[in-house]
């Protein structure tokens, strides 16, 4: 267990951590008025990684490394130095809920991360250190502000590297709640985040990934925060995500920054249907049986009748072929029998002729005369 002093020290050290190696923005609306709109999720969706072999590229983007899948879920694996497999949603939510079922990676200095990140660097985090088997870290940032020392806090969790746990963020205009397995462990009120200035409040995408905070290339403060240097010879280090559920509290096609204030009040919700929602809510492809069952009774009868007719025709062709084969076989057998009889007759004639030449006829006549007595 971590003492209060140790937890406080870890909170201070988190200042030197990049919160997750996955945090970045391609266009910051606080600095530019030409940033593109953020495509909205605009609905609720569940992504079950245990039943797929890859993610839909229109929904999730692999921003680093390779993620593998099996019946346990999505595997984010560090096999060697420099690897940090990460996926990022191509959609944004404007307040809502993110619920991740995850087993963290083991390994000193290895960080398993769940990050909500906005274009102007608002951020909400879950981070689990591979060497910490008893606690999970929660954190947040407002507009990339790293001047305060008191944001990161740690909460008990049972062997996160051995067990799957539910890590949830419930995010609204008024507060942020972090939950472990359904229990609220932390609440951040809007006013408590520097009067709202550091409160995450702009549209966010979702990022899942693993990285080595204990790599020798990281600053000393980051290595200490991560739990110490990472020994890659003890790998591979695997973070596993079985599923993620995301609920967007807003509805629309996209979100646009109306100015450079970074306030949620400036965000414009573009009306329309979200293209991502259409993808994630599309029904799965129907099986042949389901397709048949979806047809009208008349169509089903027509298909059955057609299939029956085809079967009759096929059977007729098969019978016809069999008859032809049998007839052909009989003709071939007759020819063979005739040839055999011909050869037999020729052989008997040959033997008779040879017998005459060797006196066999006289011998036969002699015994024939003796038979009379």
């Amino acid at each position: 267990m971590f003492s209060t002093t140790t937890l406080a020290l870890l909170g201070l050290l988190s200042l030197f951590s990049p919160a997750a190696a996955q945090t970045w923005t391609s266009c910051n609306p606080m600095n530019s008025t030409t940033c593109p709109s953020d495509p909205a999720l605009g609905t609720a969706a569940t992504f079950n990684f245990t039943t797929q072999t890859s993610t839909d590229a229109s929904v999730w983007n692999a921003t680093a490394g390779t993620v593998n899948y099996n019946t346990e879920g999505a595997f984010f694996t560090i096999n060697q130095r420099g690897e940090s497999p990460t996926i990022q949603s191509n959609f944004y939510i404007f307040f809502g809920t993110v619920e991740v079922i995850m087993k963290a990676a083991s390994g000193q200095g290895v960080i398993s991360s769940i990050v909500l990140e906005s274009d102007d660097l608002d951020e909400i985090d879950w981070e689990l250190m591979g060497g910490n088997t008893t606690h999970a870290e929660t954190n947040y940032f407002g507009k990339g502000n790293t001047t305060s020392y008191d944001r990161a806090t740690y909460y008990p969790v049972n062997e996160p590297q051995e067990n799957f746990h539910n890590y949830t963020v419930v995010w609204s205009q008024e507060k942020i709640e972090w939950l472990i397995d359904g229990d609220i462990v932390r609440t951040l009120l809007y006013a408590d985040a520097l009067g709202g200035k550091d409160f995450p409040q702009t549209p966010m995408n979702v990022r899942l990934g693993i990285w080595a905070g204990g790599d020798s290339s990281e600053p000393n403060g980051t290595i200490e925060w991560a739990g110490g240097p990472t020994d890659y010879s003890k790998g591979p280090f695997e973070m596993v995500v079985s599923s993620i559920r995301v609920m967007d509290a807003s509805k629309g096609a996209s979100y646009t920054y109306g100015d450079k204030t970074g306030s949620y009040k400036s965000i414009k919700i573009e009306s329309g249907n979200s293209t991502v929602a259409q993808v994630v809510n599309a029904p799965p492809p129907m099986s042949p049986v389901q397709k048949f069952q979806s047809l009208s009774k008349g169509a089903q009868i027509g298909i059955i009748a057609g299939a029956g007719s085809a079967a009759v025709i096929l059977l007729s062709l098969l019978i016809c072929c069999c008859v032809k084969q049998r007839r052909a076989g009989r003709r071939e057998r007759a020819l063979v029998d005739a040839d055999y009889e011909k050869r037999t007759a020729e052989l008997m004639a040959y033997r008779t002729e040879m017998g005459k030449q060797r006196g066999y006829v006289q011998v036969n006549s002699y015994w024939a005369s003796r038979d009379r007595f």
Side-chain angles (χ1 to χ4, degrees):
M1 297 291 291
F2 280 76
S3 67
T4 303
T5 302
T6 302
L7 292 176
L9 177 60
L10 288 171
L12 292 176
L13 289 172
S14 68
L15 173 67
F16 302 99
S17 146
Q22 300 84 7
T23 58
W24 54 274
T25 181
S26 58
C27 185
N28 192 331
M30 300 286 288
N31 303 324
S32 173
T33 58
T34 60
C35 293
S37 298
D38 297 329
L41 175 61
T43 187
T46 298
F47 306 93
N48 185 355
F49 295 146
T50 67
T51 59
Q52 58 191 65
T53 56
S54 64
T55 53
D56 189 326
S58 65
V59 180
W60 295 95
N61 177 37
T63 58
T66 301
V67 178
N68 298 307
Y69 300 82
N70 66 22
T71 55
E72 196 173 8
F75 281 70
F76 300 73
T77 306
I78 293 178
N79 291 293
Q80 59 188 359
R81 186 181 183 191
E83 294 183 332
S84 57
T86 305
I87 61 173
Q88 173 182 316
S89 69
N90 289 329
F91 60 80
Y92 287 70
I93 65 172
F94 188 28
F95 304 114
T97 301
V98 176
E99 181 178 339
V100 179
I101 310 299
M102 181 183 77
K103 180 166 64 175
S106 60
Q108 181 173 286
V110 176
I111 311 300
S112 299
S113 299
I114 304 167
V115 178
L116 281 66
E117 185 84 12
S118 71
D119 293 343
D120 64 0
L121 298 180
D122 279 350
E123 184 177 324
I124 305 171
D125 300 330
W126 277 107
E127 293 177 308
L128 292 100
M129 291 71 174
N132 186 339
T133 61
T134 59
H135 285 76
E137 182 197 278
T138 65
N139 208 345
Y140 72 94
F141 294 86
K143 309 299 179 285
N145 181 7
T146 59
T147 58
S148 63
Y149 292 78
D150 56 354
R151 296 179 313 279
T153 56
Y154 293 75
Y155 297 93
V157 60
N158 180 34
E159 296 184 330
Q161 295 81 13
E162 300 295 330
N163 303 308
F164 283 94
H165 290 281
N166 183 326
Y167 302 94
T168 298
V169 170
V170 179
W171 172 44
S172 69
Q173 299 174 10
E174 296 81 20
K175 62 183 177 179
I176 300 171
E177 294 176 331
W178 288 260
L179 297 85
I180 298 178
D181 297 329
D183 296 325
I184 298 175
V185 296
R186 180 182 185 182
T187 300
L188 174 70
L189 299 177
Y190 180 91
D192 292 339
L194 201 61
K197 293 181 180 179
D198 277 357
F199 187 84
Q201 57 193 281
T202 49
M204 295 187 176
N205 57 39
V206 181
R207 308 179 187 190
L208 306 173
I210 181 176
W211 61 288
D215 189 84
S216 59
S217 64
E218 297 288 347
N220 289 335
T222 299
I223 295 174
E224 291 180 39
W225 163 81
T230 300
D231 183 354
Y232 294 98
S233 68
K234 295 182 179 180
F237 308 113
E238 295 179 333
M239 161 184 150
V240 187
V241 177
S242 65
S243 67
I244 175 171
R245 179 179 177 274
V246 184
M247 189 277 290
D248 190 353
S250 303
K251 309 298 179 184
S254 62
Y255 305 121
T256 304
Y257 288 75
D259 55 37
K260 295 183 179 181
T261 63
S263 168
Y264 70 87
K265 296 178 181 179
S266 72
I267 302 301
K268 298 178 180 179
I269 302 175
E270 305 295 332
S271 61
N273 296 321
S274 163
T275 56
V276 176
Q278 294 175 19
V279 173
V280 299
N281 291 328
M286 290 192 296
S287 67
V289 173
Q290 291 173 325
K291 289 180 180 179
F292 177 78
Q293 293 175 341
S294 67
L295 297 174
S296 66
K297 290 296 183 182
Q300 291 178 358
I301 293 172
I303 290 175
I304 293 173
S309 299
V312 170
I313 294 173
L314 182 61
L315 180 60
S316 299
L317 290 174
L318 181 62
I319 293 173
C320 182
C321 289
C322 290
V323 170
K324 289 183 178 180
Q325 289 284 1
R326 288 177 62 85
R327 288 177 178 176
R330 288 173 181 173
R331 288 194 295 268
E332 291 177 1
R333 180 57 184 269
L335 292 174
V336 171
D337 290 345
D339 183 66
Y340 174 78
E341 291 174 358
K342 178 181 177 183
R343 292 178 181 274
T344 301
E346 291 176 349
L347 178 60
M348 295 301 295
Y350 172 76
R351 288 179 176 176
T352 300
E353 183 64 26
M354 293 299 294
K356 289 179 180 181
Q357 295 178 7
R358 296 179 181 179
Y360 290 162
V361 174
Q362 290 83 347
V363 174
N364 290 338
S365 299
Y366 170 76
W367 285 109
S369 63
R370 287 182 61 84
D371 288 339
R372 296 174 183 172
F373 296 96

